[in-house]
Amino acid sequence: MIIDILTIFPEFFNSPLEQSLIKKARDKGIIKVNIYDIRDFATDKHRTVDDTPFGGGDGMVMKIEPVYRALKHAEQISGRGYKIFLTPQGKRLNQKKVSELSCRKHIILLCGRYEGIDERIENFIDEEISIGDYVLMGGESAALVLIESIGRLIPGVVGTENSVKDESFSSGLLEYPQYTKPYDFMGYKVPDILLSGNHKKIKEWRAVHALVKTYKKRPDLLNEENISDDMKSMLKEYLKKNA
């Protein structure tokens, strides 16, 4: 996958993209990341990328010309890309969307700043995405969230494919509880079933407790799309036993 980042702060990405699995994926050539400074596409000597808003108001607005030129340049270098504007006004990012994006070959991430980008940018992008209902100083942090969430679904980035499949939200539920040594920590013990060696029973326990965990922590995720009649029965039985 090719990921292009358009930003006025290219140095923002230096350290995060040189860490952990993303760095390894880049070193292996699984993911290629290009960072373009939008200021390079301004035409004046001051490399101006913002101006005062028409109609008045506080703050500055990013100009459309340098942003458009940066988008076109990225596609001239790497071909047609799926252009994403990272903005709190976009659709909320979720695992389903991450999975869809991970199948694309070329993604362009546009990071806004100030009061945003001239509204006419909507004519030149494919999608607006938000990572949550809050406002950041710019789209750079959101771009990193997208890169990590998408990157880990690309084959070869994460060592064990099953670990990705079992993660929270991959099945529509939170992940089942996980434990490691020691068995007993200050009186809090690991469930004995996990030490039984009975893989069928362990699988059943994990299925039930993924459901229970979701019910307790994120009940908003439980809907008709991701909870079957069997799962409803499992949850009802568990709650009855542990009332």
Side-chain angles (χ1 to χ4, degrees):
M1 175 184 281
I2 298 173
I3 300 175
D4 292 331
I5 304 170
L6 278 54
T7 174
I8 62 172
F9 294 112
E11 297 83 4
F12 187 97
F13 297 93
N14 288 348
S15 177
L17 296 179
E18 287 297 318
Q19 309 296 324
S20 190
L21 296 178
I22 294 297
K23 173 178 170 51
K24 292 180 180 178
R26 294 177 69 195
D27 290 344
K28 293 178 182 177
I30 300 173
I31 298 174
K32 181 180 181 181
V33 180
N34 301 312
I35 302 175
Y36 296 103
D37 188 343
I38 296 173
R39 293 187 188 279
D40 291 340
F41 300 91
T43 55
D44 66 311
K45 66 178 182 179
H46 299 294
R47 304 170 76 219
T48 305
V49 295
D50 61 308
D51 208 332
T52 54
F54 280 123
D58 295 331
M60 303 291 277
V61 178
M62 289 183 68
K63 294 162 63 69
I64 192 165
E65 299 104 325
V67 173
Y68 173 79
R69 293 189 196 101
L71 286 170
K72 292 294 103 182
H73 178 78
E75 292 194 310
Q76 287 171 0
I77 298 297
S78 301
R80 173 80 169 89
Y82 191 74
K83 297 178 283 291
I84 298 171
F85 176 28
L86 297 156
T87 166
Q89 298 180 17
K91 292 182 180 179
R92 183 94 61 86
L93 182 67
N94 57 30
Q95 193 65 25
K96 181 180 179 182
K97 173 56 65 176
V98 169
S99 182
E100 291 173 7
L101 294 175
S102 71
C103 297
R104 294 189 175 274
K105 298 299 183 183
H106 180 201
I107 291 175
I108 302 174
L109 302 178
L110 174 56
C111 304
R113 278 271 164 173
Y114 312 124
E115 297 302 314
I117 301 176
D118 185 303
E119 192 75 9
R120 289 168 287 186
I121 194 60
E122 290 185 354
N123 298 293
F124 306 104
I125 59 172
D126 297 298
E127 186 169 10
E128 295 182 357
I129 289 180
S130 167
I131 62 168
D133 295 338
Y134 47 86
V135 180
L136 299 169
M137 292 184 179
E140 286 79 13
S141 295
L144 287 173
V145 168
L146 214 57
I147 290 170
E148 284 223 0
S149 60
I150 293 171
R152 63 190 312 282
L153 295 185
I154 297 173
V157 175
V158 176
T160 307
E161 186 177 348
N162 286 337
S163 69
V164 174
K165 291 180 180 178
D166 291 339
E167 289 285 358
S168 292
F169 306 112
S170 294
S171 65
L173 303 176
L174 299 184
E175 187 178 9
Y176 51 78
Q178 297 273 24
Y179 300 87
T180 188
K181 299 178 182 65
Y183 165 72
D184 187 335
F185 178 69
M186 298 175 64
Y188 296 99
K189 298 179 180 179
V190 176
D192 288 333
I193 185 66
L194 298 179
L195 286 75
S196 69
N198 188 327
H199 296 294
K200 181 175 183 295
K201 290 293 184 182
I202 290 173
K203 186 176 181 180
E204 292 172 354
W205 182 93
R206 286 175 167 170
V208 170
H209 283 77
L211 187 57
V212 171
K213 194 178 210 182
T214 306
Y215 173 79
K216 290 180 176 179
K217 295 187 174 184
R218 289 292 306 275
D220 56 296
L221 295 175
L222 298 177
N223 53 57
E224 296 300 325
E225 293 182 4
N226 64 5
I227 181 168
S228 64
D229 290 338
D230 287 344
M231 293 168 74
K232 290 177 184 177
S233 297
M234 286 165 50
L235 180 58
K236 186 176 180 180
E237 186 65 23
Y238 176 88
L239 295 174
K240 183 179 178 181
K241 288 181 179 178
N242 294 273

